[in-house]
Coordinates of all heavy atoms in Angstrom, one line a residue:
M18 N 147.6 -24.8 87.7 CA 146.3 -25.6 87.9 C 145.1 -24.8 87.8 O 144.1 -25.1 87.2 CB 146.4 -26.4 89.2 CG 147.2 -27.7 89.1 SD 146.7 -28.8 87.8 CE 145.4 -29.8 88.7
I19 N 145.2 -23.6 88.5 CA 144.0 -22.8 88.6 C 143.7 -22.2 87.2 O 142.5 -22.1 86.8 CB 144.2 -21.6 89.6 CG1 144.3 -22.2 91.1 CG2 143.1 -20.6 89.5 CD1 144.9 -21.3 92.1
L20 N 144.8 -21.9 86.5 CA 144.6 -21.3 85.2 C 144.0 -22.3 84.2 O 143.1 -22.0 83.5 CB 146.0 -20.9 84.6 CG 146.0 -20.0 83.4 CD1 145.6 -18.6 83.9 CD2 147.3 -19.9 82.8
K21 N 144.4 -23.6 84.4 CA 143.8 -24.7 83.6 C 142.3 -24.8 83.9 O 141.5 -25.0 83.0 CB 144.6 -26.0 83.9 CG 144.6 -26.9 82.7 CD 145.4 -28.1 83.0 CE 145.4 -29.1 81.9 NZ 146.2 -30.3 82.2
A22 N 142.0 -24.8 85.1 CA 140.6 -24.9 85.6 C 139.8 -23.8 85.0 O 138.6 -24.0 84.5 CB 140.5 -25.0 87.1
L23 N 140.3 -22.6 85.0 CA 139.6 -21.4 84.5 C 139.4 -21.6 83.0 O 138.3 -21.3 82.4 CB 140.5 -20.2 84.7 CG 140.2 -19.5 86.1 CD1 141.3 -18.4 86.2 CD2 138.8 -18.9 86.2
L24 N 140.4 -22.1 82.3 CA 140.4 -22.3 80.8 C 139.3 -23.3 80.5 O 138.4 -23.1 79.6 CB 141.7 -22.8 80.3 CG 141.9 -22.6 78.8 CD1 142.2 -21.1 78.5 CD2 143.1 -23.4 78.3
V25 N 139.3 -24.4 81.2 CA 138.2 -25.4 81.0 C 136.8 -24.9 81.3 O 135.9 -25.1 80.5 CB 138.5 -26.7 81.9 CG1 137.4 -27.6 81.9 CG2 139.8 -27.4 81.4
G26 N 136.8 -24.1 82.3 CA 135.5 -23.5 82.7 C 135.0 -22.5 81.6 O 133.8 -22.5 81.2
A27 N 136.0 -21.8 81.1 CA 135.6 -20.8 80.0 C 135.1 -21.5 78.8 O 134.1 -21.1 78.1 CB 136.8 -19.9 79.7
V28 N 135.8 -22.6 78.4 CA 135.4 -23.4 77.2 C 134.0 -24.0 77.4 O 133.2 -23.9 76.5 CB 136.5 -24.5 76.9 CG1 135.9 -25.5 75.9 CG2 137.8 -23.9 76.5
I29 N 133.8 -24.6 78.6 CA 132.5 -25.1 78.9 C 131.4 -24.1 78.8 O 130.3 -24.3 78.2 CB 132.5 -25.8 80.3 CG1 133.3 -27.1 80.2 CG2 131.1 -26.1 80.7 CD1 133.7 -27.7 81.6
Y30 N 131.7 -22.9 79.3 CA 130.8 -21.8 79.3 C 130.5 -21.4 77.9 O 129.3 -21.2 77.5 CB 131.4 -20.6 80.1 CG 130.5 -19.4 80.1 CD1 129.4 -19.3 80.9 CD2 130.8 -18.2 79.3 CE1 128.6 -18.2 81.0 CE2 130.0 -17.1 79.4 CZ 128.9 -17.1 80.2 OH 128.1 -16.0 80.2
I31 N 131.5 -21.2 77.0 CA 131.3 -20.8 75.6 C 130.4 -21.9 74.9 O 129.4 -21.5 74.2 CB 132.6 -20.6 74.9 CG1 133.3 -19.3 75.5 CG2 132.4 -20.5 73.4 CD1 134.8 -19.2 75.1
V32 N 130.8 -23.1 75.1 CA 130.0 -24.2 74.5 C 128.6 -24.2 74.9 O 127.6 -24.3 74.2 CB 130.7 -25.6 74.8 CG1 129.7 -26.7 74.4 CG2 132.0 -25.7 74.0
Y33 N 128.4 -24.0 76.2 CA 127.1 -24.0 76.8 C 126.2 -22.8 76.2 O 125.1 -23.0 75.8 CB 127.2 -23.8 78.3 CG 125.8 -23.6 79.0 CD1 125.0 -24.7 79.2 CD2 125.4 -22.3 79.4 CE1 123.8 -24.5 79.8 CE2 124.2 -22.2 80.0 CZ 123.4 -23.3 80.2 OH 122.1 -23.1 80.8
I34 N 126.8 -21.6 76.1 CA 126.2 -20.5 75.5 C 125.7 -20.7 74.1 O 124.6 -20.5 73.7 CB 127.1 -19.2 75.6 CG1 127.2 -18.8 77.1 CG2 126.5 -18.0 74.8 CD1 126.0 -18.3 77.8
M35 N 126.7 -21.3 73.3 CA 126.4 -21.5 71.9 C 125.3 -22.6 71.7 O 124.4 -22.4 70.9 CB 127.7 -22.1 71.2 CG 128.7 -20.9 70.9 SD 130.3 -21.6 70.3 CE 129.9 -21.8 68.6
F36 N 125.4 -23.6 72.5 CA 124.4 -24.7 72.5 C 123.0 -24.1 72.9 O 122.0 -24.4 72.3 CB 124.8 -25.8 73.5 CG 123.9 -27.0 73.5 CD1 123.9 -27.9 72.4 CD2 123.0 -27.2 74.5 CE1 123.0 -29.0 72.4 CE2 122.2 -28.2 74.6 CZ 122.2 -29.2 73.5
F37 N 123.0 -23.3 74.0 CA 121.8 -22.8 74.5 C 121.1 -21.9 73.4 O 119.9 -21.9 73.2 CB 122.0 -22.0 75.7 CG 120.8 -21.5 76.4 CD1 120.0 -22.4 77.1 CD2 120.5 -20.2 76.4 CE1 118.8 -21.9 77.7 CE2 119.3 -19.7 77.0 CZ 118.5 -20.6 77.7
K38 N 122.0 -21.0 72.8 CA 121.5 -20.1 71.8 C 120.8 -20.9 70.6 O 119.8 -20.6 70.1 CB 122.6 -19.2 71.2 CG 122.7 -17.9 72.0 CD 123.7 -17.0 71.3 CE 123.8 -15.7 72.0 NZ 124.8 -14.8 71.4
Q39 N 121.6 -21.9 70.1 CA 121.1 -22.7 69.0 C 119.8 -23.4 69.4 O 118.9 -23.4 68.6 CB 122.2 -23.8 68.7 CG 122.5 -23.9 67.2 CD 123.6 -24.8 66.9 OE1 124.1 -25.4 67.8 NE2 124.1 -24.8 65.7
K40 N 119.8 -23.9 70.6 CA 118.6 -24.7 71.0 C 117.4 -23.7 71.0 O 116.3 -24.1 70.6 CB 118.8 -25.2 72.4 CG 119.3 -26.7 72.4 CD 118.1 -27.6 72.2 CE 118.5 -29.0 72.3 NZ 117.7 -30.0 71.8
S41 N 117.6 -22.6 71.6 CA 116.4 -21.6 71.8 C 115.9 -21.2 70.4 O 114.7 -21.0 70.2 CB 116.8 -20.4 72.6 OG 117.8 -19.7 72.0
V42 N 116.9 -21.0 69.4 CA 116.5 -20.6 68.1 C 115.7 -21.7 67.4 O 114.6 -21.5 66.9 CB 117.7 -20.2 67.2 CG1 117.3 -20.1 65.8 CG2 118.3 -18.9 67.7
E43 N 116.2 -22.9 67.6 CA 115.5 -24.1 67.0 C 114.1 -24.2 67.6 O 113.1 -24.4 66.9 CB 116.3 -25.4 67.3 CG 117.3 -25.7 66.2 CD 118.1 -26.9 66.5 OE1 117.6 -27.8 67.2 OE2 119.3 -26.9 66.1
K44 N 114.0 -24.1 68.9 CA 112.8 -24.2 69.6 C 111.8 -23.2 69.1 O 110.6 -23.5 68.8 CB 113.0 -24.0 71.1 CG 112.2 -25.0 72.0 CD 112.6 -24.7 73.4 CE 111.7 -25.6 74.3 NZ 112.0 -25.3 75.7
N45 N 112.2 -21.9 69.0 CA 111.4 -20.9 68.5 C 110.8 -21.1 67.1 O 109.6 -21.0 66.9 CB 112.1 -19.5 68.5 CG 112.2 -18.9 69.9 OD1 111.4 -19.3 70.8 ND2 113.1 -18.0 70.1
S46 N 111.7 -21.5 66.2 CA 111.3 -21.7 64.8 C 110.3 -22.9 64.7 O 109.4 -22.8 63.9 CB 112.5 -21.9 63.9 OG 113.2 -23.0 64.3
T47 N 110.6 -24.0 65.4 CA 109.7 -25.1 65.3 C 108.4 -24.9 66.0 O 107.3 -25.3 65.5 CB 110.4 -26.4 66.0 OG1 110.9 -26.0 67.2 CG2 111.4 -27.0 65.1
T48 N 108.4 -24.2 67.1 CA 107.1 -23.9 67.8 C 106.2 -23.0 67.0 O 105.0 -23.2 66.9 CB 107.3 -23.3 69.2 OG1 108.3 -22.3 69.1 CG2 107.7 -24.4 70.2
T49 N 106.8 -22.0 66.3 CA 106.0 -21.1 65.5 C 105.5 -21.8 64.3 O 104.4 -21.5 63.8 CB 106.8 -19.8 65.1 OG1 108.1 -20.2 64.7 CG2 106.9 -18.8 66.3
K50 N 106.3 -22.7 63.8 CA 105.9 -23.4 62.6 C 104.7 -24.4 62.9 O 103.8 -24.5 62.2 CB 107.0 -24.2 62.0 CG 107.8 -23.5 60.9 CD 108.9 -24.3 60.3 CE 109.9 -23.4 59.6 NZ 111.1 -24.1 59.3
K51 N 104.9 -25.0 64.1 CA 103.9 -26.0 64.5 C 102.6 -25.4 65.0 O 101.5 -25.9 64.8 CB 104.5 -27.0 65.5 CG 105.3 -28.1 64.9 CD 105.8 -29.0 66.0 CE 106.6 -30.1 65.4 NZ 107.2 -31.0 66.5
K52 N 102.8 -24.3 65.6 CA 101.7 -23.6 66.3 C 100.6 -23.3 65.2 O 99.4 -23.6 65.4 CB 102.1 -22.3 66.9 CG 101.2 -21.7 68.0 CD 101.9 -20.5 68.6 CE 100.9 -19.9 69.6 NZ 101.5 -18.6 70.1
E53 N 100.9 -22.6 64.2 CA 100.0 -22.2 63.2 C 100.6 -22.6 61.8 O 101.6 -22.0 61.4 CB 99.7 -20.7 63.2 CG 99.1 -20.2 64.5 CD 97.7 -20.6 64.7 OE1 97.1 -21.3 63.9 OE2 97.1 -20.1 65.8
Q54 N 100.0 -23.5 61.1 CA 100.5 -23.8 59.8 C 99.9 -22.9 58.7 O 98.7 -22.9 58.5 CB 100.2 -25.3 59.5 CG 101.1 -26.2 60.3 CD 101.0 -27.7 59.9 OE1 100.0 -28.0 59.2 NE2 101.9 -28.5 60.3
K55 N 100.8 -22.2 58.1 CA 100.3 -21.4 57.0 C 101.3 -21.5 55.8 O 102.4 -21.9 55.9 CB 100.3 -19.9 57.4 CG 101.5 -19.4 58.1 CD 101.2 -18.1 58.8 CE 102.3 -17.6 59.6 NZ 102.1 -16.4 60.3
P56 N 100.8 -21.3 54.6 CA 101.6 -21.5 53.4 C 102.8 -20.7 53.4 O 102.8 -19.5 53.8 CB 100.7 -21.1 52.2 CG 99.3 -20.8 52.8 CD 99.4 -20.8 54.3
Q57 N 103.9 -21.2 52.9 CA 105.2 -20.5 52.9 C 105.4 -19.7 51.6 O 106.3 -20.0 50.8 CB 106.3 -21.5 53.1 CG 106.3 -22.2 54.4 CD 106.6 -21.3 55.6 OE1 107.5 -20.5 55.6 NE2 105.7 -21.3 56.5
T58 N 104.5 -18.8 51.3 CA 104.6 -18.0 50.1 C 104.6 -16.5 50.6 O 104.3 -16.2 51.7 CB 103.4 -18.2 49.2 OG1 102.2 -18.0 49.9 CG2 103.5 -19.6 48.6
N59 N 104.8 -15.6 49.6 CA 104.8 -14.2 49.9 C 103.4 -13.6 49.5 O 103.3 -12.4 49.2 CB 105.9 -13.5 49.1 CG 107.2 -13.8 49.7 OD1 107.3 -14.1 50.9 ND2 108.3 -13.7 48.9
E60 N 102.4 -14.4 49.6 CA 101.1 -14.0 49.3 C 100.6 -12.9 50.3 O 101.0 -13.0 51.5 CB 100.1 -15.2 49.5 CG 98.9 -15.1 48.6 CD 98.0 -16.3 48.9 OE1 98.5 -17.4 48.8 OE2 96.8 -16.1 49.2
M61 N 99.8 -12.0 49.8 CA 99.3 -11.0 50.7 C 98.0 -11.4 51.3 O 97.1 -11.9 50.6 CB 99.2 -9.6 50.0 CG 100.5 -9.1 49.4 SD 101.7 -8.7 50.6 CE 101.2 -7.1 51.1
V62 N 97.8 -11.2 52.6 CA 96.5 -11.5 53.2 C 96.0 -10.3 53.9 O 96.7 -9.4 54.4 CB 96.6 -12.7 54.2 CG1 96.8 -14.0 53.5 CG2 97.7 -12.4 55.2
E63 N 94.7 -10.2 54.0 CA 94.0 -9.1 54.6 C 93.8 -9.3 56.1 O 93.4 -10.4 56.5 CB 92.7 -8.8 53.9 CG 92.0 -7.5 54.3 CD 90.7 -7.3 53.6 OE1 90.2 -8.2 52.9 OE2 90.1 -6.2 53.9
C64 N 94.2 -8.4 56.9 CA 94.0 -8.5 58.3 C 92.5 -8.5 58.6 O 91.7 -7.6 58.1 CB 94.6 -7.3 59.1 SG 94.2 -7.2 60.8
A65 N 92.0 -9.5 59.4 CA 90.6 -9.6 59.6 C 90.0 -8.5 60.5 O 88.8 -8.3 60.6 CB 90.4 -11.0 60.3
R66 N 90.9 -7.8 61.1 CA 90.5 -6.7 62.0 C 90.5 -5.3 61.3 O 89.5 -4.6 61.3 CB 91.3 -6.7 63.3 CG 91.1 -5.5 64.2 CD 89.9 -5.6 65.0 NE 89.6 -4.3 65.6 CZ 88.5 -4.1 66.3 NH1 87.6 -5.0 66.5 NH2 88.3 -2.9 66.9
C67 N 91.7 -4.9 60.8 CA 91.8 -3.6 60.3 C 91.9 -3.5 58.8 O 92.2 -2.4 58.2 CB 93.0 -2.9 61.0 SG 94.6 -3.7 60.6
S68 N 91.8 -4.7 58.1 CA 91.8 -4.7 56.6 C 93.1 -4.3 56.0 O 93.1 -3.9 54.8 CB 90.6 -3.9 56.1 OG 89.4 -4.4 56.6
I69 N 94.2 -4.2 56.7 CA 95.5 -3.9 56.2 C 96.0 -5.2 55.5 O 95.9 -6.3 56.1 CB 96.4 -3.4 57.3 CG1 96.2 -1.9 57.5 CG2 97.9 -3.6 57.0 CD1 97.0 -1.3 58.6
Y70 N 96.7 -5.0 54.4 CA 97.3 -6.2 53.7 C 98.7 -6.4 54.2 O 99.5 -5.5 54.2 CB 97.3 -6.0 52.2 CG 95.9 -6.4 51.6 CD1 94.9 -5.4 51.5 CD2 95.7 -7.7 51.2 CE1 93.7 -5.8 51.0 CE2 94.5 -8.0 50.7 CZ 93.4 -7.1 50.6 OH 92.2 -7.4 50.1
V71 N 99.0 -7.6 54.6 CA 100.3 -8.0 55.1 C 100.7 -9.3 54.4 O 99.9 -10.1 54.0 CB 100.4 -8.2 56.6 CG1 100.4 -6.9 57.4 CG2 99.2 -9.1 57.1
E72 N 102.0 -9.5 54.3 CA 102.6 -10.7 53.8 C 102.2 -11.9 54.7 O 102.2 -11.7 55.9 CB 104.1 -10.7 53.6 CG 104.5 -10.1 52.3 CD 106.0 -10.2 52.2 OE1 106.6 -11.1 52.6 OE2 106.6 -9.2 51.6
I73 N 101.9 -13.0 54.1 CA 101.5 -14.2 54.9 C 102.6 -14.5 56.0 O 102.3 -14.8 57.1 CB 101.2 -15.4 54.0 CG1 99.7 -15.4 53.7 CG2 101.7 -16.7 54.6 CD1 99.2 -16.7 52.9
S74 N 103.9 -14.4 55.6 CA 104.9 -14.7 56.5 C 105.0 -13.7 57.6 O 105.5 -14.0 58.7 CB 106.3 -14.7 55.7 OG 106.5 -13.5 55.1
E75 N 104.5 -12.5 57.4 CA 104.5 -11.5 58.5 C 103.2 -11.5 59.3 O 103.1 -10.9 60.4 CB 104.6 -10.1 57.8 CG 105.7 -9.9 56.9 CD 107.0 -9.4 57.7 OE1 106.9 -8.3 58.3 OE2 108.0 -10.0 57.6
S76 N 102.2 -12.2 58.8 CA 100.9 -12.2 59.4 C 100.8 -13.2 60.6 O 101.7 -14.0 60.7 CB 99.8 -12.5 58.4 OG 99.9 -13.8 58.0
I77 N 99.8 -13.0 61.4 CA 99.6 -14.0 62.5 C 98.2 -14.6 62.2 O 97.2 -14.0 62.0 CB 99.6 -13.2 63.8 CG1 100.9 -12.4 64.0 CG2 99.4 -14.2 65.0 CD1 100.7 -11.2 64.9
L78 N 98.3 -16.0 62.2 CA 97.1 -16.8 62.0 C 96.5 -17.1 63.3 O 97.1 -17.7 64.2 CB 97.4 -18.0 61.2 CG 96.3 -18.9 60.7 CD1 95.3 -18.1 59.9 CD2 96.8 -20.1 59.9
S79 N 95.2 -16.7 63.5 CA 94.5 -17.0 64.8 C 93.1 -17.4 64.5 O 92.4 -16.7 63.8 CB 94.5 -15.8 65.7 OG 93.8 -16.0 66.8
S80 N 92.7 -18.6 64.9 CA 91.4 -19.2 64.7 C 91.0 -19.0 63.3 O 89.9 -18.6 63.0 CB 90.4 -18.7 65.7 OG 90.5 -17.3 66.0
G81 N 91.9 -19.4 62.3 CA 91.5 -19.4 60.9 C 91.5 -18.1 60.2 O 91.2 -18.0 59.0
K82 N 91.9 -17.0 61.0 CA 91.9 -15.7 60.3 C 93.3 -15.1 60.5 O 94.0 -15.3 61.4 CB 90.9 -14.8 61.0 CG 89.4 -15.1 60.7 CD 88.5 -14.3 61.5 CE 87.0 -14.6 61.2 NZ 86.1 -14.0 62.2
Y83 N 93.6 -14.3 59.5 CA 94.9 -13.6 59.5 C 94.8 -12.2 60.1 O 93.9 -11.5 59.8 CB 95.4 -13.5 58.0 CG 95.8 -14.8 57.4 CD1 95.0 -15.4 56.5 CD2 97.0 -15.4 57.7 CE1 95.3 -16.7 56.0 CE2 97.4 -16.6 57.2 CZ 96.5 -17.3 56.3 OH 96.8 -18.5 55.7
Y84 N 95.8 -11.9 60.9 CA 95.9 -10.6 61.5 C 97.3 -10.0 61.3 O 98.3 -10.7 61.1 CB 95.6 -10.7 63.0 CG 94.2 -11.2 63.3 CD1 94.0 -12.5 63.5 CD2 93.2 -10.3 63.4 CE1 92.7 -13.0 63.8 CE2 91.9 -10.7 63.7 CZ 91.7 -12.1 63.9 OH 90.4 -12.5 64.2
C85 N 97.3 -8.7 61.3 CA 98.6 -8.0 61.0 C 99.4 -7.9 62.3 O 100.6 -7.8 62.2 CB 98.3 -6.6 60.4 SG 97.5 -5.5 61.6
S86 N 98.8 -8.0 63.4 CA 99.6 -7.8 64.7 C 98.8 -8.5 65.8 O 97.6 -8.8 65.7 CB 99.8 -6.4 65.0 OG 98.6 -5.7 65.2
D87 N 99.5 -8.6 66.9 CA 98.9 -9.2 68.1 C 97.8 -8.2 68.6 O 96.8 -8.7 69.2 CB 99.9 -9.3 69.3 CG 100.8 -10.5 69.0 OD1 100.3 -11.5 68.6 OD2 102.0 -10.4 69.3
E88 N 98.0 -6.9 68.4 CA 97.0 -6.0 68.8 C 95.6 -6.2 68.2 O 94.6 -6.2 68.9 CB 97.4 -4.5 68.4 CG 98.1 -3.8 69.6 CD 98.6 -2.4 69.2 OE1 97.7 -1.6 68.9 OE2 99.8 -2.2 69.1
C89 N 95.6 -6.5 66.9 CA 94.4 -6.8 66.2 C 93.7 -8.0 66.7 O 92.5 -8.1 66.8 CB 94.7 -6.9 64.7 SG 94.9 -5.3 63.9
I90 N 94.5 -9.0 67.1 CA 93.9 -10.3 67.6 C 93.2 -10.0 68.9 O 92.1 -10.3 69.2 CB 95.0 -11.3 67.8 CG1 95.6 -11.8 66.4 CG2 94.4 -12.6 68.5 CD1 96.8 -12.7 66.5
K91 N 93.9 -9.2 69.8 CA 93.4 -8.8 71.1 C 92.1 -8.0 70.9 O 91.1 -8.3 71.6 CB 94.4 -8.0 71.9 CG 95.4 -8.9 72.5 CD 96.5 -8.1 73.2 CE 97.7 -9.0 73.5 NZ 98.9 -8.2 73.8
K92 N 92.1 -7.1 70.0 CA 90.9 -6.2 69.7 C 89.8 -7.1 69.2 O 88.6 -6.8 69.6 CB 91.3 -5.1 68.7 CG 92.0 -4.0 69.4 CD 92.4 -3.0 68.3 CE 93.3 -1.9 68.8 NZ 93.9 -1.1 67.8
S93 N 90.0 -8.0 68.3 CA 88.9 -8.8 67.8 C 88.4 -9.8 68.8 O 87.3 -10.3 68.6 CB 89.4 -9.5 66.5 OG 90.4 -10.4 66.8
E94 N 89.2 -10.2 69.8 CA 88.7 -11.1 70.8 C 87.8 -10.5 71.7 O 86.9 -11.2 72.3 CB 89.9 -11.7 71.5 CG 90.6 -12.9 70.8 CD 91.9 -13.3 71.4 OE1 92.4 -12.6 72.4 OE2 92.5 -14.3 70.9
K95 N 87.9 -9.2 71.9 CA 87.0 -8.5 72.8 C 85.5 -8.5 72.4 O 85.3 -8.4 71.2 CB 87.5 -7.1 73.0 CG 88.6 -7.0 74.1 CD 89.2 -5.6 74.2 CE 90.4 -5.7 75.1 NZ 91.2 -4.4 75.1
Ligands
LIG124 ZN1 95.3 -5.5 61.8

């Protein structure tokens, strides 16, 4: 009986972990997509702060401007 309970517990645990992982991934991808809408191309954009060119997919869109990193956003906000 104890063994059975352990087995059930393990299965529930595995399912829970898998479900939780999937959920968190889905949540992340949808929030990033919804947060800032940018074209899904490999176009290069110039960082508004340091003028480095980054792929649109790699860039961060903040108040209508593209940045190469969070650092640049923070620096430009100051
Ligand atoms: Zn930059």
Side-chain angles (χ1 to χ4, degrees):
M18 277 305 273
I19 293 163
L20 200 73
K21 208 174 178 183
L23 274 172
L24 198 75
V25 170
V28 168
I29 288 167
Y30 179 74
I31 289 162
V32 169
Y33 175 77
I34 292 293
M35 283 171 84
F36 181 76
F37 185 75
K38 267 190 180 177
Q39 227 172 9
K40 264 281 186 198
S41 64
V42 168
E43 267 176 33
K44 218 177 179 184
N45 279 343
S46 61
T47 46
T48 44
T49 45
K50 266 179 197 169
K51 274 183 183 175
K52 202 176 174 186
E53 303 283 5
Q54 285 189 344
K55 48 192 175 184
Q57 295 296 306
T58 55
N59 287 334
E60 206 182 308
M61 300 297 278
V62 287
E63 190 179 1
C64 174
R66 171 76 192 175
C67 65
S68 300
I69 277 176
Y70 278 88
V71 284
E72 272 185 35
I73 267 188
S74 55
E75 304 271 305
S76 69
I77 303 153
L78 187 56
S79 176
S80 40
K82 286 172 183 173
Y83 290 101
Y84 295 94
C85 66
S86 63
D87 285 320
E88 263 179 68
C89 281
I90 293 172
K91 280 173 196 164
K92 279 177 191 168
S93 65
E94 276 171 354
K95 274 175 190 171

